[in-house]
Amino acid sequence: MLKLGVARDFSPDPGPRKASQGQHSGEAFRRLLMRKLAASDLVEVDLDGTSGFGSSWLDEVFGGLIRDEGMSAAEVRRRVRVKSIADETYLFIIEEAINLARPRDAAAPVAA
Amino acid sequence: MKKLSEEEKLERLRVARRREARTRNRVLRRAQTKAQRAAFHRELVSFTQAHKLKMPTDVDRVPILLPKILSLRDNYAATVSAIAELRDAVLLRNTPAMLYFDHVQEIEPAATLLLVAEVFRCRNLRPFGGKNRMVHGTYPAKMDVLLQLRDMGFYDLIGINPRNELPDDRESEHRREFLPFHSFNRAMPSVPRELSDWINDNAIPMSDVERRRMNEALKEAMFNAIDHAYAEAGKFPRMKNRWWLGGFIHAERQEMMLIVLDQGIGIPRSLQAKFSEKVVSLVTTWTLQPSDGEMIKYATELFRTSTGQSGRGRGFRDMKRFVDESTDGELRVLSNRGVYHYMKSGERVDDNERSIGGTLLEWRIRKAVEVKEVEDA
């Protein structure tokens, strides 16, 4: 299992959703995560130690694995383990992002 | 002398008529401009005399009298009207303006940020004759207002002498400490952390969760300004991705205010009303389009997004979570004509006559002040 700490390996100040919007974007972190997933079947993402995440950043990383990288929700849950001891609400937001995400070509789901 | 052919005679006649028409038009234009200038000058003289103001050095300037109370909370109509007058004069008519602060008695951070952002835009997008030519202004007559503007960074942001030589005799213990206005044209993910560290170290101790909620709220606000606000062109020229930050802390009252502003198209214009919302609007107000205030409220609902993409529409939840985490707090969203208030106890929607020309988010957070037990003598 590979470990990937957001604060340690990426930035203590996660930024916007897209790389075009600014530094330390969710899109940039997702690319880093994809490189780790290419090297290992299981990657643990550690969210602790940062200044906080906007929902858009978390959605771009974890929902983006399904929307843009072609992974299934089951595969994301099996291969990406998320650690967030300091703030467990992030786990809920990530689960929500995974549940709502659909591959790019599919129609967007209707939120309950 | 050469005899002209019929064709040549006709051609000469046409040329002469064209020249005559050009001369006539030029004379008419001159006369019109002279008459207009004279009328404008008469208006300017009567305006400055009526309000006991000095005449501007450049008589072509549009005089704009700022209201006694510059506030979006207590004097919305007059405040927004004065700022709109500046915007119309400089950005639409390319006319220099003169801002009269002479009668201003009270200023509110949100209204001041809206004004300084407009001055900033006017000066940068209409730099004719040098950046500083298009908007001039007077210093406030009331010293307290001048010093507050100085503390807010009003003068520094637009490159005006902040009059640092003026002594500040105000009591320092009981007053607000302003976060100087800042302007950015890109996302700045480290700014919320630096700000929450500063607030935590200097005035209001916050738990890790409170700091995270504050950072998340500010981040989503700045990313929204960049991602959605300038997605389409508006009526006025814009400075793409430009957003402003301001606020204050009050250590004694354990209170803080944070403001994020953009000059984009506004939330009501970036969001399409759903069929059900149009029906509700038709039943309640007899119009198919919900009011701006209602549209802001709809935009704050979970999963409501202008992009139509899955996973979007959760930014406002982050902005509300900062309020939910506090003991006593409020989020006020002003966008175009609408106003939306969010408190833990509920939400409220209002609408105004005039638009602020963008979106302003304001968090007012108060922490419970610890009551110290005093022993009887």
Side-chain angles (χ1 to χ4, degrees), chain B residues 74-135:
Chain B
D74 301 326
N75 195 14
Y76 182 96
T79 301
V80 171
S81 170
I83 296 171
E85 221 179 308
L86 170 69
R87 194 162 48 219
D88 289 350
V90 178
L91 297 177
L92 290 188
R93 304 199 303 273
N94 293 333
T95 315
M98 181 78 180
L99 286 176
Y100 285 101
F101 277 85
D102 300 48
H103 297 176
V104 178
Q105 297 289 310
E106 280 175 43
I107 51 170
E108 175 209 50
T112 314
L113 183 60
L114 189 68
L115 175 65
V116 78
E118 205 52 80
V119 175
F120 187 95
R121 171 160 68 167
C122 289
R123 286 182 151 212
N124 280 279
L125 294 184
R126 294 290 180 271
F128 313 136
K131 247 184 198 179
N132 300 340
R133 189 179 173 266
M134 286 308 260
V135 187

Side-chain angles (χ1 to χ4, degrees), chain B residues 14-32:
Chain B
R14 273 199 290 270
V15 169
R17 276 183 184 163
R18 275 205 295 271
R19 194 180 297 133
E20 193 185 323
R22 271 204 302 271
T23 314
R24 194 173 54 238
N25 287 343
R26 200 161 48 232
V27 170
L28 273 174
R29 265 204 309 274
R30 264 188 206 156
Q32 200 179 21

Side-chain angles (χ1 to χ4, degrees), chain B residues 313-339:
Chain B
R314 287 181 288 181
F316 264 109
R317 180 174 61 186
D318 292 349
M319 297 184 214
K320 288 175 175 177
R321 284 212 307 174
F322 182 29
V323 174
D324 295 337
E325 197 60 48
S326 67
T327 329
D328 176 16
E330 180 197 8
L331 166 65
R332 187 167 64 131
V333 185
L334 290 95
S335 192
N336 295 354
R337 290 179 176 78
V339 187

Side-chain angles (χ1 to χ4, degrees), chain B residues 193-221:
Chain B
R193 178 181 45 79
E194 288 160 11
L195 187 55
S196 63
D197 285 351
W198 177 71
I199 293 172
N200 186 61
D201 296 345
N202 290 295
I204 306 168
M206 290 192 282
S207 69
D208 285 349
V209 178
E210 285 169 329
R211 287 167 74 173
R212 265 198 302 277
R213 296 295 170 264
M214 178 187 143
N215 295 340
E216 290 158 12
L218 285 180
K219 281 181 185 184
E220 280 299 327

Side-chain angles (χ1 to χ4, degrees), chain A residues 16-76:
Chain A
R17 177 185 286 275
K18 296 287 180 190
S20 60
Q21 294 172 294
Q23 285 184 313
H24 316 311
S25 65
E27 191 183 5
F29 184 79
R30 196 183 68 232
R31 283 196 212 115
L32 179 64
L33 177 59
M34 284 307 291
R35 286 202 290 279
K36 297 285 177 189
L37 284 168
S40 171
D41 192 49
L42 182 62
V43 176
E44 184 184 81
V45 178
D46 184 357
L47 301 182
D48 290 336
T50 70
S51 58
F53 300 90
S55 294
S56 54
W57 193 93
L58 295 171
D59 180 71
E60 188 59 32
V61 174
F62 298 97
L65 291 174
I66 297 162
R67 263 195 313 273
D68 300 297
E69 309 296 346
M71 292 172 76
S72 68
E75 193 185 358
V76 172

